[in-house]
Amino acid sequence: MNTYEGVQDRVPPGQRLTDGFPVLHHGSVPYYNDMSKWNLRVFGLVEEEVTFSYKQFLALPKQEFKNDIHCVTTWSKLANVWEGVAVRTIMEKVKLKPEAKYVMLHAEEGWTTNLPVEDFLAETSFLGFRHNGQLLTPEHGYPVRMVVPHLYFWKSAKWLRGIEFMPKDKPGFWERNGYHMYGDPWKEERYDFE
Ligand SMILES: Nc1nc2c(c(=O)[nH]1)N[C@H]1C(S)=C(S)[C@@H](COP(=O)(O)O)O[C@H]1N2
Ligand SMILES: [Mo]
């Protein structure tokens, strides 16, 4: 007997289900006391750089999203409900240059992660700020985290501050430290040590 009966086809190979929401990251959790200093910068191979203040970000149209989280350390958490801003909504304000093929997500403290531009632009990708009805806690990425449902959760940058469009792929923080450049949970693209 378990509450996940019939959902085994949602669990990728090598993953175990959890009801908890583990906290995993490198470095320290940022605590903000003045949101007027926060912004989100969209830059690199764009016709014109765009910077959202916190106020501007909150004024963007919001939507509900659902996802299953698959962490490379083997826990999966199914059926998360998020409130967030679709990548599409952000990209309505940004004109990409045709050479933009990869994205580097920049978080606080210089943390980064990379992904192909089509994965970033996927209909399912979003910038989340509420999880299961609660405002994101500082530990889970307040005020805004990236969520890329179809890749391992390390691509879902917490404390997102920048979206950079690049001509070529480049490893981010965990990717430089042995994680896979792409990270498809269904293919178990976990680590990629030399
Ligand atoms: N800014 C930032 N985002 C990050 C990380 C990090 O170290 N820094 N770690 C990633 C990893 S490895 C995982 S598994 C998830 C964990 O998210 P959670 O703590 O909300 O479960 O965040 C990802 N996003
Ligand atoms: Mo992770």
Side-chain angles (χ1 to χ4, degrees), residues 15-16 18 20-30 69-77 107 109 111 137-142 145-146 152-159 173-174 179 190-191:
Q15 297 293 113
R16 290 175 291 107
T18 179
F21 195 0
V23 171
L24 289 169
H25 54 259
H26 173 83
S28 49
V29 174
I69 294 173
H70 307 300
C71 175
V72 72
T73 61
T74 75
W75 58 269
S76 287
K77 179 177 176 61
E109 298 189 343
W111 190 89
T137 61
E139 290 74 20
H140 287 297
Y142 175 87
R145 80 179 296 162
M146 187 69 213
Y152 278 125
F153 205 38
W154 87 79
K155 299 286 183 183
S156 293
K158 303 196 272 191
W159 316 301
F173 176 82
W174 287 118
Y179 281 32
R190 296 174 191 275
Y191 309 104

Side-chain angles (χ1 to χ4, degrees), residues 34-95:
D34 181 4
M35 290 313 286
S36 71
K37 295 202 176 83
W38 184 94
N39 61 21
L40 176 66
R41 193 176 152 223
V42 186
F43 64 105
L45 294 172
V46 292
E47 295 297 342
E48 234 177 297
E49 211 177 290
V50 179
T51 301
F52 298 91
S53 67
Y54 188 54
K55 216 170 144 187
Q56 287 168 330
F57 182 83
L58 287 182
L60 292 170
K62 303 165 186 76
Q63 282 168 244
E64 188 179 284
F65 297 87
K66 292 190 170 130
N67 88 325
D68 293 339
I69 294 173
H70 307 300
C71 175
V72 72
T73 61
T74 75
W75 58 269
S76 287
K77 179 177 176 61
L78 302 185
N80 300 276
V81 181
W82 300 83
E83 192 175 335
V85 173
V87 165
R88 189 181 356 95
T89 302
I90 299 283
M91 296 312 290
E92 279 166 11
K93 320 235 180 248
V94 180
K95 193 162 170 5

